[in-house]
């Protein structure tokens, strides 16, 4: 019996607030100004050409690329290996 009396009280509490509310339009003075987002910045990444040389510069019309190649021993955990190493530079031709 006590259980039914508690359910009756909860039902009455929910229906007790039967007032009429009117919605009103807000005037432009009441609204805050719209927020402006900061302008997004573009991310600039360098472009590596098809030959993979960066930075690219113009060494001149008569420049020659000099390269030296040598086999070098490298000590690795799996053992000593021989690998080719190349270094290049530009010189005037």
């Amino acid at each position: 019996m006590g259980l039914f009396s508690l359910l009756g009280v909860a039902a009455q509490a929910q229906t007790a607030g039967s007032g009429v509310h009117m919605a009103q339009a807000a005037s432009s003075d009441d609204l805050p100004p719209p927020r402006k987002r900061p302008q997004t910045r573009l991310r600039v990444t360098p472009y590596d050409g098809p030959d993979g040389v960066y930075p690219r510069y113009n060494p001149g019309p008569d420049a020659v690329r000099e390269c030296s190649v040598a086999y070098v021993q490298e000590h690795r955990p799996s053992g000593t290996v021989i690998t080719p190493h190349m270094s290049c530079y530009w010189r005037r031709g």
Side-chain angles (χ1 to χ4, degrees), residues 26-73:
S27 66
S28 62
D29 297 337
D30 296 340
L31 296 177
R35 290 187 179 181
K36 292 187 178 183
R37 291 178 54 187
Q39 187 176 8
T40 56
R41 297 185 63 157
L42 296 177
R43 188 182 327 177
V44 178
T45 57
Y47 171 73
D48 290 342
D51 55 357
V53 177
Y54 180 81
R56 182 167 296 294
Y57 63 94
N58 186 1
D62 59 346
V64 177
R65 189 173 180 189
E66 292 282 332
C67 295
S68 61
V69 180
Y71 289 102
V72 179
Q73 284 187 356

